[in-house]
Amino acid sequence: MGVTMKDIARMIGVSESTVSRAINNKPGVGAKTKKKILRLVEKYNYQPNQLAQNLAKQESNMIGLLLPDISSLFYSEAARAIQDIAAKEGYQVIVCNTDGDEEREKNYIDWLQANKIAGIIFLGYGLANNKIINLGLSNYPIVLANRLVEEVMIPSVVIDNATGAFDATIHLLEKGHKRIALINGPQDNLQSQNRLQGYKQALKNYNIDYNPKLVIHKDWSRESGYEGFLELLDSDEVPTAIFAANDLIAVGVIEAIKMGGYMIPHDIAVVGFEDTIVTSVIEPALTTVSQPMYELGANSVRKLFSLINKEEVEEKIEILASKLIVRKST
């Protein structure tokens, strides 16, 4: 363990407050004493306890970032933007991985508040909405990124998932497909609901009846795509096209299609969603809906700094557009 401020104070025989004043270059410390303190600070590579300083000063140069899956390519680009801009503002980012667990999300919120973190960004889906509502009502600086809470007006940046899903499905319909399956995320997830909405609207525009047997709800994993396609094989009619609600699901779908001896896109076309790095390494290259994830993170953290600085947030709910990228899988 490294030395503490208490250790340095004991070595020299002064109070902790004297050590603190010397480190922070504040008056009230003799030149010789200050020199001894700074020599020990350098010798032992002393690092101040930032959280303890937050509590003492009742302010912080840290912000919290809560997200459901730190390993997700979908969230990593947004998190990078948040860290890039926070660093330019002189802030550090504490990243909290919730795994989509409500209790864990609640615990992180309590911990961040208790340690006087300046503000919090909630990236992606979560379940602790009552906590968030209370934070919003108390005017604690928070921003929602690709997540909405209807009960209270909280500054938010969201991607238009419904239009992206609509464009993806329309693309398949224009290719002549009529039996289009959707392998979606969890049924209670806002992004899943919006992507289902866009899918349904596209079918309606082409006067094709919605068939719930062609829609499968799973999680966002590669395994879900593989298993979802196998389930579709057991249906009355194998779909001629599959809209996968994210790129990882699409990868699993493509693997299962190949294992089944089908050709892509001749027998079955595939569209993904997100435009992560996997789209360029999978064969065939994946048609997908590109989402502006860096912009999502950047705009979210800018809104948070406006709140922290008690400035007016002009656009409370900001909606970012997605874009269909056509490649060889369709």
Side-chain angles (χ1 to χ4, degrees), residues 55-92:
L55 293 171
K57 294 187 298 183
Q58 296 293 297
E59 60 184 38
S60 170
N61 68 335
M62 295 182 175
I63 60 173
L65 171 60
L66 269 69
L67 74 172
D69 184 1
I70 198 170
S71 66
S72 167
L73 295 172
F74 177 73
Y75 296 117
S76 62
E77 190 72 359
R80 178 172 155 238
I82 290 167
Q83 290 180 315
D84 286 349
I85 292 173
K88 290 178 183 177
E89 295 289 334
Y91 277 73
Q92 299 174 25

Side-chain angles (χ1 to χ4, degrees), residues 175-191:
K175 289 284 187 178
H177 298 284
K178 294 182 179 179
R179 295 194 309 278
I180 302 171
L182 168 62
I183 302 179
N184 207 356
Q187 202 159 1
D188 60 353
N189 179 267
L190 179 63
Q191 294 173 36

Side-chain angles (χ1 to χ4, degrees), residues 228-276:
F229 177 74
L230 296 182
E231 289 179 29
L232 289 167
L233 284 181
D234 292 333
S235 62
D236 296 334
E237 292 181 286
V238 176
T240 62
I242 296 175
F243 170 30
N246 79 353
D247 291 341
L248 274 181
I249 293 174
V251 170
V253 168
I254 288 173
E255 288 174 337
I257 288 174
K258 289 179 177 179
M259 287 290 290
Y262 296 95
M263 299 291 293
I264 305 170
H266 180 73
D267 298 321
I268 303 173
V270 182
V271 175
F273 205 104
E274 286 172 10
D275 197 27
T276 54

Side-chain angles (χ1 to χ4, degrees), residues 2 8 18 36 56 70 76 91 104 106 118 137 169 176 201 221 226 248 252 264 297 314:
I8 293 174
T18 298
K36 289 179 182 178
I70 198 170
S76 62
Y91 277 73
R104 184 179 292 188
K106 287 178 180 177
L137 292 173
T169 310
Q201 185 60 53
S221 68
Y226 193 96
L248 274 181
I264 305 170
E314 294 182 4

Side-chain angles (χ1 to χ4, degrees), residues 1 15 43 68 88 91 110 201 213 226 252 264 293 296-297:
M1 293 179 63
S15 67
K43 179 180 179 180
K88 290 178 183 177
Y91 277 73
D110 290 341
Q201 185 60 53
K213 292 181 179 179
Y226 193 96
I264 305 170
M293 293 306 297
L296 174 74

